[in-house]
Amino acid sequence: MVEDSIFLKSLRGEEIPRFGVWLMRQAGRYMPQYRQLRAKARDFLDFCQNPTLATEVTLLPEKLLGVDALILFSDILVPLIPLGVEVKFLPQKGPVLKAPPPEEWKDFEPSEVEYVFETIKRVKYLSEKPLIGFSGAPYTLAAYILEGETSRDFREIRKLYYQNREKFHFILSKLTQMLKTYLSEQIKAGADALQIFDSWAYTMSPQMFAEYLPYVEDIAQFLKEEAPQTPIIYFFRGSGHLYQIAGQKLKSVDCFSIDWTLRIEKALEGFKNKAIQGNLDPTVLYADKKTIERSVIELLTEVSKNRKTLYVFNLGHGLAPDMEMEKVKHLVDTVKSFYL
Amino acid sequence: MVEDSIFLKSLRGEEIPRFGVWLMRQAGRYMPQYRQLRAKARDFLDFCQNPTLATEVTLLPEKLLGVDALILFSDILVPLIPLGVEVKFLPQKGPVLKAPPPEEWKDFEPSEVEYVFETIKRVKYLSEKPLIGFSGAPYTLAAYILEGETSRDFREIRKLYYQNREKFHFILSKLTQMLKTYLSEQIKAGADALQIFDSWAYTMSPQMFAEYLPYVEDIAQFLKEEAPQTPIIYFFRGSGHLYQIAGQKLKSVDCFSIDWTLRIEKALEGFKNKAIQGNLDPTVLYADKKTIERSVIELLTEVSKNRKTLYVFNLGHGLAPDMEMEKVKHLVDTVKSFYL
């Protein structure tokens, strides 16, 4: 039963024999098997939009890594398409977006991203593992829309915050509205947990973050009312300087997925009654196996001094294309052999 | 007398009538006068290496903005050239570096960057304002060298940290050695204060930062022995998650220049007997004048509740090319009209 999984039990604070583990971008370019599947699609968007391929990709880490949870294979930009945003993925450059003014955005029509829900259904049919659905957070999506592409500091959205506060809030509320429907449809399709990715949160000042977070709380609250059993994970980069505010403002979030800028001791202290996920610097995977092992054990030892549940192992960010699968597998095995 | 300047007095904790102000990249592309001078040089490197032009650029903000300190016009990559690193600035792309293996680096020969010291001498001859010399910090320089160009997350150096700790330390110690000479020569040429830029510090985990900081402390200590009167400012992005460690490890630094990820209240608490510089989110300059004014006054009010000196106004990062000079001037004027 999926309900008995270590992953879901950890998030609910139930007793577990060991910490659960999954990895952001666990099905990714570093896997030869991923690259084989990727070659069957026309481009990256086509890859995400093809439920047959997306299902296969989502399932890869179950056998190849033995992780405790699967995450839907898709992209955070996909639900912007029904709003009228043009999204392209250019081979070397990454995503390029062209959005009409927000007043002209269409209402979000979930059937236009039916392929996402179809993938969730297929994965649920084929696997017993808990499946994590996901979306981008309103800020991160707005940052992409305003910048038009990936960027180092996503200045456009911070510019807008100071130039036109009203428009800033208008865009965020439009995205919030879309995300409620999008995520709630993922639950209906079978997602066992949801993760909201705020990858660019780190570009915000504490003040701006505090003013923005009610949108995330609004989404989480809405989903908790709809599906009280589905845990909600909030991933935010910049955890080191933003974790206290996140803890204060996000009452409806069940789990905070943190990057490596926050010491685990502080996270354990700061998120007392909440689950924590992540934290290991992903670049540790470039080290030798011994170093990887030591880093994992160090982290888990620190966590287990404080709690025996309410923690899920993960990295502070996604796996990179040039990481070695053997080492990733070793990382997962190390977590799984750390008994509580 | 330069010694009586508000800027230097603030750094020493002496009584001042108002807080001092200067801005990172105060002489930069946003200024039409800068662009006129820039057009006279073949390329950006030539611009830095020409003492006549570099002097003129350095002086621009004195008349145009009325700031309390000037900062040498140069680039942090310039002292890498005598080591044998090839440095190019490509028009759209920014810096591109090609470095030989660190074992083959040449000893740093200050005469090869004589143009830097010559610029300092000329500025000192022409202006009464305190002049800030500067360099990159060892980590930020190493990050550039290993990456070969600017990057979002400077993964190469963090990779090296886990893959080959010895080489990581070897590169940092080589750069530390160079920086001691380079900065000490800037003092001899006439620099009244020094700022060490650690722009990419934010990519480090707290653990890695703690292991790295002794190099910065080593430089600061060395300079304090050579020239006890010359204040040393350490600028680090990622202040929000790294400030406590910086405060613990950098005993010889006089002033911490912080970005907007750290709440000023925490900085005032964390750097009790040290000077603080900066903190305002630079994107506030895209707002209207009223908003700029309000943001500045809010910040200065908070600071002045805690201290009446040991603070210098600055932004959390450099000015951007698309900012308006009129607003920048208004920002400076607002600081200058805030009496203590």
Side-chain angles (χ1 to χ4, degrees), chain B residues 101-119:
Chain B
E103 313 80 64
E104 293 172 24
W105 291 357
K106 291 184 278 179
D107 284 341
F108 178 71
E109 178 46 69
S111 65
E112 290 182 35
V113 288
E114 187 54 41
Y115 51 87
V116 169
F117 314 122
E118 178 62 25
T119 303

Side-chain angles (χ1 to χ4, degrees), chain B residues 222-234:
Chain B
F222 172 85
L223 296 168
K224 284 322 261 184
E225 278 164 28
E226 293 245 307
Q229 293 312 312
T230 309
I232 297 165
I233 307 166
Y234 177 62

Side-chain angles (χ1 to χ4, degrees), chain A residues 4-294:
Chain A
D4 297 331
S5 75
I6 284 185
F7 171 72
L8 290 174
K9 283 183 155 186
S10 325
L11 292 179
R12 289 193 298 252
E14 294 170 18
E15 206 175 313
I16 46 172
R18 60 165 178 82
F19 290 125
V21 50
W22 71 278
L23 304 171
M24 289 185 272
R25 293 218 196 105
Q26 60 188 12
R29 274 194 285 162
Y30 76 98
M31 274 184 172
Q33 295 82 349
Y34 172 97
R35 296 194 297 270
Q36 277 164 21
L37 290 169
R38 171 71 182 80
K40 295 187 186 173
R42 207 172 48 243
D43 53 31
F44 184 73
L45 194 58
D46 179 47
F47 197 28
C48 296
Q49 292 178 329
N50 180 326
T52 307
L53 293 175
T55 301
E56 276 197 73
V57 178
T58 304
L59 292 169
L60 285 177
E62 176 167 7
K63 287 213 181 83
L64 296 172
L65 299 176
V67 288
D68 296 305
L70 301 176
I71 179 158
L72 166 71
F73 178 72
S74 185
D75 191 89
I76 60 165
L77 301 180
V78 145
L80 298 178
I81 301 171
L83 303 180
V85 178
E86 198 186 293
V87 178
K88 276 185 199 162
F89 292 89
L90 304 185
Q92 295 307 315
K93 197 179 158 69
V96 175
L97 294 87
K98 234 158 114 185
E103 313 80 64
E104 293 172 23
W105 291 356
K106 290 183 279 178
D107 285 340
F108 177 71
E109 178 44 68
S111 65
E112 290 182 36
V113 289
E114 186 54 41
Y115 52 86
V116 169
F117 314 122
E118 177 64 24
T119 303
I120 293 177
K121 285 175 202 160
R122 292 194 195 185
V123 173
K124 285 306 296 173
Y125 181 76
L126 294 167
S127 168
E128 290 283 296
K129 293 268 176 204
L131 176 64
I132 306 165
F134 75 90
S135 76
Y139 178 81
T140 289
L141 292 178
Y144 265 122
I145 289 170
L146 289 163
E147 202 79 20
E149 58 183 38
T150 199
S151 149
R152 190 164 59 213
D153 56 0
F154 289 91
R155 218 149 44 88
E156 292 304 318
I157 182 157
R158 293 190 293 131
K159 235 165 138 165
L160 184 68
Y161 174 76
Y162 291 111
Q163 266 176 345
N164 189 339
R165 195 69 54 100
E166 204 179 325
K167 189 175 166 193
F168 172 83
H169 283 292
F170 182 68
I171 292 179
L172 289 173
S173 59
K174 285 282 236 186
L175 291 169
T176 297
Q177 205 180 331
M178 174 277 277
L179 289 167
K180 284 180 186 174
T181 311
Y182 183 52
L183 289 170
S184 121
E185 290 295 321
Q186 291 192 31
I187 298 176
K188 284 178 204 153
D192 300 296
L194 293 172
Q195 179 155 320
I196 301 172
F197 285 85
D198 226 348
S199 312
W200 312 130
Y202 73 93
T203 61
M204 279 184 270
S205 68
Q207 291 82 343
M208 188 171 167
F209 189 59
E211 186 171 334
Y212 149 72
L213 274 189
Y215 292 102
V216 179
E217 174 61 15
D218 186 19
I219 296 169
Q221 214 171 56
F222 173 84
L223 296 169
K224 285 321 262 185
E225 278 163 30
E226 292 243 309
Q229 293 312 313
T230 309
I232 298 165
I233 308 166
Y234 177 62
F235 167 73
F236 60 124
R237 283 186 62 196
S239 318
H241 73 283
L242 301 174
Y243 77 104
Q244 284 162 318
I245 302 165
Q248 283 155 22
K249 300 264 175 183
L250 298 180
K251 300 294 180 206
S252 306
V253 160
D254 300 281
C255 176
F256 292 88
S257 193
I258 57 174
D259 68 15
W260 64 95
T261 64
L262 178 60
R263 271 183 199 277
I264 191 68
E265 296 84 344
K266 288 194 182 178
L268 293 165
E269 182 60 32
F271 299 123
K272 270 209 187 324
N273 304 310
K274 298 281 188 177
I276 296 168
Q277 179 177 272
N279 180 248
L280 197 70
D281 184 347
T283 43
V284 80
L285 276 164
Y286 296 111
D288 53 45
K289 288 187 177 180
K290 272 239 148 58
T291 310
I292 296 173
E293 223 174 284
R294 210 183 40 237

Side-chain angles (χ1 to χ4, degrees), chain B residues 114-132:
Chain B
E114 187 54 41
Y115 51 87
V116 169
F117 314 122
E118 178 62 25
T119 303
I120 293 176
K121 285 174 201 162
R122 292 194 195 184
V123 173
K124 286 307 297 172
Y125 181 78
L126 294 167
S127 168
E128 292 281 296
K129 292 271 175 202
L131 175 64
I132 306 165

Side-chain angles (χ1 to χ4, degrees), chain B residues 46-183:
Chain B
D46 180 49
F47 197 29
C48 295
Q49 292 178 329
N50 180 326
T52 308
L53 293 175
T55 301
E56 277 197 72
V57 178
T58 304
L59 292 168
L60 285 176
E62 176 167 8
K63 288 214 181 85
L64 296 173
L65 299 177
V67 287
D68 296 305
L70 301 176
I71 180 158
L72 166 71
F73 178 72
S74 185
D75 191 89
I76 60 164
L77 300 180
V78 145
L80 298 179
I81 301 170
L83 303 180
V85 178
E86 199 186 293
V87 178
K88 276 185 198 161
F89 292 89
L90 304 186
Q92 295 308 317
K93 194 178 159 71
V96 176
L97 295 87
K98 233 158 113 182
E103 313 80 64
E104 293 172 24
W105 291 357
K106 291 184 278 179
D107 284 341
F108 178 71
E109 178 46 69
S111 65
E112 290 182 35
V113 288
E114 187 54 41
Y115 51 87
V116 169
F117 314 122
E118 178 62 25
T119 303
I120 293 176
K121 285 174 201 162
R122 292 194 195 184
V123 173
K124 286 307 297 172
Y125 181 78
L126 294 167
S127 168
E128 292 281 296
K129 292 271 175 202
L131 175 64
I132 306 165
F134 74 90
S135 77
Y139 178 81
T140 289
L141 292 179
Y144 265 122
I145 290 171
L146 289 163
E147 202 78 19
E149 58 182 41
T150 199
S151 149
R152 189 165 59 209
D153 56 358
F154 288 92
R155 219 148 44 88
E156 291 305 319
I157 183 157
R158 292 191 291 131
K159 232 164 138 165
L160 184 68
Y161 173 76
Y162 290 110
Q163 265 175 347
N164 189 339
R165 196 68 55 99
E166 206 180 322
K167 189 174 168 192
F168 173 83
H169 283 292
F170 182 69
I171 292 180
L172 290 172
S173 60
K174 285 282 236 184
L175 291 169
T176 297
Q177 206 180 329
M178 174 278 279
L179 289 168
K180 284 179 185 174
T181 311
Y182 183 52
L183 290 169

